[in-house]
Amino acid sequence: MDTIEDRLVFKRYPKEAEVTSSQDPGKKADLKNPAIRLYGRRFYKDQTPVEYLSEFLMVFASPKTEDGEGVFQFNLYLDQVSEPCYWPENRIALKLFTFFPTSKLETRHQIHRSEYLNAIDILKSKIIGSQEQKDEAVRLIQSLFSGFVGVAKDRTWVTCTFLPAAAGLLSREVTWQHPYAIKEKHGPITDWDTASKYFDSNTRNFLGRGGELLYLQLASLFSRPISPSLGRVLERDEYEHLAEITLQDRRKRLESALKFILEDAVAQLDQLSSFIETTLDHYETDKIKKPSYLAWVPVATETEAFLFASEMLNICESRLSSLEKLDLIRTLCLIQVMRSLCFQARRIDKIASNTVGFVGHYAWIVADPELAPGEPGRRLAEESYSEIEAILFRALRSPLLYVNGKPLKERDLSNGDDNCFRMFRKFGKEIGMVIPRNGRGQRFVLNAQLVRLLVASLLRPGERVRLSDFYQRAFSHFGLALGGEPMVIAREWSAHGAQSDEKHYSADISTDWIEETLQQGGFLIELSDAVSIVHNPDGNSGGG
């Protein structure tokens, strides 16, 4: 470690000691992975966007103590627990009822099939009416829950994930150890109780901790008063729009708004979920409810966490439907992962220069997706993308990450790259911010959905700002250079200190495509040829 600032990059929340928990033997091996050491445990490339959101909301909505405290809160109750954890639901019965008929055929055990049919009979016995009416009621309920499938393709029924549209659909990862079950390694399988030995609730194959890490960023932010370093950020002109709400007010409003969404989206889902889980409670595999142990996040992420909280609150307090809000938050979660990778990489990267007007000190220069090869705007976006990948690649090879003063092994670096620059590329392509999906010329772009997200997250519901101020907010939050002065700054940064001719070159890049996209979305008001206003029409709903 070279400086005090370097040491702060690696300070951890909720604990600073090396992780050695006997509850999770994988933690010790993770110390070899430079991406985990730099970013926290862990952002995971193979976790789907839905499961990032689902895991984030599951930690938020679950109790943080065995006594049930901490539901719908960004509080870990560290003074009451020996290890930071949360107590999520398994929802085995609900998954059996919903996912079994369409699940992966090869991993359907005979006991699962017989118990599924038995479960259907039990549910029918609780419904009043003729046999035909009972059959129809069960089909309708199954159809309803099937409409909220998040991830199910090619999975065993118990590892499928619901869309996190209600608290009653949030569940921890449970896997079926099919290879062991075939060989009956833990004993013969004759009924549900003996089959339960082959369910495992301690794996992280699908809910890989990415959503947990996003939750921990916010829990860390809200666990103490604003630090002097974050306070200095909020004193800057480009962040004055964030200083109107105190940190604790922001926390209370965000907790209330997220709770409102999870209870309001489809209220009947929670009631039906509770009915199924209660009726089929004997399918619960854990007789004693188990906690899920949390890992850690770098304390230095408080700046990007503050931006994340501000943006999410704007979305939550809009008058959009709850399902629309969740869809925007899902994308925002992936952008937060991408932003966090860049923020933390720049904290230890000693080569790239700083940026004026953006505390993250990097730039994502976006271009019109339709620009032809060789066009100036497209070339700038390609150069910007290449520079970002270079920073992420260099960061994991920083001497600050050496173990005992020695460079890391190539295998460990490759594992780190999977969950750093390769993940940045994958997530960028999944949300449409990086194109093409295959081939050369990768670059930053914005589609209509991402422009809509920018308006919803950067402007308070009903707020109006000049187009130039909107460009500045996009830059000061995400490092996105859309036009105006941020484009000049971003081009100079990307070119490692361009001279005035380069600045004029970047200033001449057309922003017509951005303005047209804003106008098509109903977000742009042209007052005159020289003045345009961007507004967020989704007025405050007062939700929560």
Side-chain angles (χ1 to χ4, degrees):
M1 305 291 178
D2 295 339
T3 66
I4 293 176
E5 288 74 19
D6 290 334
R7 288 194 293 272
L8 290 176
V9 171
F10 297 95
K11 184 178 180 181
R12 297 176 173 185
Y13 175 86
K15 49 193 173 184
E16 295 185 50
E18 292 295 329
V19 182
T20 58
S21 170
S22 60
Q23 301 288 349
D24 195 343
K27 290 180 179 179
K28 187 174 181 180
D30 283 345
L31 296 176
K32 293 182 178 180
N33 189 320
I36 292 175
R37 291 176 59 207
L38 181 59
Y39 297 113
R41 190 166 185 268
R42 65 179 170 165
F43 289 134
Y44 185 44
K45 176 175 66 72
D46 293 330
Q47 190 168 345
T48 65
V50 167
E51 286 168 324
Y52 262 85
L53 175 62
S54 180
E55 190 175 37
F56 169 77
L57 293 174
M58 176 178 61
V59 185
F60 168 74
S62 297
K64 311 304 184 298
T65 72
E66 191 170 5
D67 295 334
E69 293 186 74
V71 177
F72 300 113
Q73 288 183 15
F74 292 106
N75 186 358
L76 298 186
Y77 291 84
L78 298 180
D79 58 336
Q80 299 181 31
V81 296
S82 57
E83 280 197 86
C85 60
Y86 61 106
W87 301 74
E89 298 288 343
N90 287 351
R91 311 223 184 269
I92 297 286
L94 185 61
K95 289 186 175 184
L96 180 67
F97 173 75
T98 303
F99 295 119
F100 182 81
T102 57
S103 63
K104 189 175 181 180
L105 188 62
E106 305 92 277
T107 54
R108 290 191 209 171
H109 196 277
Q110 183 177 351
I111 289 295
H112 298 169
R113 174 176 172 77
S114 61
E115 290 298 334
Y116 166 75
L117 296 174
N118 183 50
I120 296 298
D121 288 339
I122 293 172
L123 287 171
K124 287 179 180 179
S125 71
K126 299 295 183 180
I127 299 173
I128 299 174
S130 66
Q131 188 61 44
E132 183 177 341
Q133 290 172 325
K134 292 181 178 184
D135 293 343
E136 180 64 16
V138 168
R139 281 196 296 269
L140 287 173
I141 296 172
Q142 279 187 312
S143 177
L144 174 64
F145 280 105
S146 296
F148 290 90
V149 172
V151 184
K153 186 178 181 181
D154 296 327
R155 289 196 186 179
T156 303
W157 59 271
V158 77
T159 60
C160 296
T161 301
F162 286 104
L163 286 172
L169 299 182
L170 300 173
S171 63
R172 77 190 305 162
E173 177 179 334
V174 179
T175 57
W176 169 250
Q177 298 175 312
H178 189 64
Y180 290 170
I182 292 176
K183 299 177 182 179
E184 297 191 334
K185 185 175 179 179
H186 302 318
I189 301 175
T190 58
D191 54 21
W192 183 260
D193 286 340
T194 53
S196 295
K197 299 176 183 178
Y198 296 91
F199 287 107
D200 183 9
S201 60
N202 197 38
T203 53
R204 301 281 182 164
N205 294 330
F206 304 106
L207 299 181
R209 291 192 184 274
E212 282 187 11
L213 198 151
L214 293 177
Y215 173 86
L216 284 173
Q217 285 187 348
L218 295 180
S220 175
L221 168 71
F222 294 131
S223 67
R224 57 192 175 278
I226 289 181
S227 68
S229 60
L230 180 55
R232 287 191 292 272
V233 170
L234 296 178
E235 289 174 356
R236 293 166 52 166
D237 290 344
E238 59 267 27
Y239 297 102
E240 65 179 357
H241 63 286
L242 298 175
E244 298 176 0
I245 307 173
T246 67
L247 182 62
Q248 290 311 311
D249 280 348
R250 193 178 301 276
R251 169 188 172 172
K252 291 177 182 177
R253 286 168 60 174
L254 184 58
E255 287 175 342
S256 178
L258 285 173
K259 180 177 184 288
F260 181 81
I261 289 173
L262 289 172
E263 292 183 336
D264 171 69
V266 185
Q268 295 85 350
L269 279 178
D270 272 332
Q271 298 171 7
L272 285 172
S273 171
S274 179
F275 165 70
I276 293 170
E277 292 280 320
T278 302
T279 303
L280 305 176
D281 61 347
H282 63 285
Y283 287 107
E284 177 57 57
T285 56
D286 294 329
K287 303 307 178 184
I288 300 176
K289 196 172 181 181
K290 296 179 180 178
S292 185
Y293 292 92
L294 291 161
W296 57 274
V297 66
V299 172
T301 61
E302 65 177 359
T303 303
E304 51 268 42
F306 189 92
L307 297 174
F308 184 41
S310 168
E311 295 146 8
M312 193 185 304
L313 182 60
N314 283 342
I315 293 171
C316 287
E317 292 190 338
S318 73
R319 67 182 181 190
L320 296 169
S321 73
S322 292
L323 293 179
E324 287 176 310
K325 293 174 186 178
L326 288 170
D327 186 55
L328 290 175
I329 295 172
R330 175 185 59 81
T331 303
L332 181 64
C333 284
L334 291 195
I335 295 179
Q336 174 67 3
V337 174
M338 297 169 67
R339 174 168 54 188
S340 296
L341 293 176
C342 293
F343 260 81
Q344 190 73 342
R346 285 294 290 116
R347 290 185 175 111
I348 67 170
D349 181 64
K350 306 301 183 182
I351 297 177
S353 59
N354 291 343
T355 56
V356 177
F358 176 45
V359 70
H361 300 306
Y362 65 83
W364 300 342
I365 300 177
V366 297
D368 181 350
E370 303 300 323
L371 282 181
E375 289 284 341
R378 174 165 171 165
R379 184 165 67 84
L380 287 176
E382 290 176 359
E383 291 173 354
S384 173
Y385 181 80
S386 296
E387 179 65 14
I388 291 297
E389 282 211 343
I391 290 171
L392 296 176
F393 183 85
R394 288 197 305 265
L396 294 192
R397 289 152 180 81
S398 167
L400 296 174
L401 290 172
Y402 287 0
V403 177
N404 297 323
K406 298 179 181 179
L408 297 171
K409 296 179 180 179
E410 283 301 316
R411 180 180 63 184
D412 296 332
L413 287 170
S414 180
N415 288 338
D417 288 339
D418 280 345
N419 297 312
C420 186
F421 83 85
R422 293 189 187 113
M423 179 170 62
F424 184 92
R425 180 189 304 168
K426 179 182 179 182
F427 285 179
K429 291 180 178 182
E430 286 191 5
I431 64 176
M433 188 180 284
V434 175
I435 61 171
R437 292 195 68 88
N438 298 295
R440 302 175 61 183
Q442 292 177 4
R443 59 198 183 276
F444 291 113
V445 298
L446 288 179
N447 54 34
Q449 290 76 20
L450 289 172
V451 170
R452 178 181 183 234
L453 173 64
L454 289 182
V455 173
S457 61
L458 296 177
L459 275 63
R460 297 186 303 277
E463 185 180 10
R464 301 184 178 201
V465 299
R466 287 175 176 265
L467 180 62
S468 58
D469 292 334
F470 177 73
Y471 287 162
Q472 180 57 56
R473 283 199 192 179
F475 188 60
S476 63
H477 277 246
F478 301 107
L480 280 168
L482 309 181
E485 185 64 20
M487 180 66 80
V488 176
I489 296 169
R491 176 55 187 136
E492 182 174 351
W493 175 84
S494 185
H496 303 287
Q499 300 302 314
S500 59
D501 59 335
E502 293 281 3
K503 293 182 181 181
H504 286 300
Y505 169 73
S506 64
D508 290 339
I509 299 298
S510 173
T511 60
D512 289 349
W513 67 280
I514 285 284
E515 295 174 34
E516 183 178 344
T517 305
L518 286 167
Q519 197 164 42
Q520 290 176 348
F523 308 123
L524 191 68
I525 303 172
E526 294 183 351
L527 300 181
S528 67
D529 292 341
V531 179
S532 295
I533 298 294
V534 179
H535 76 126
N536 182 357
D538 299 310
N540 200 320
S541 65

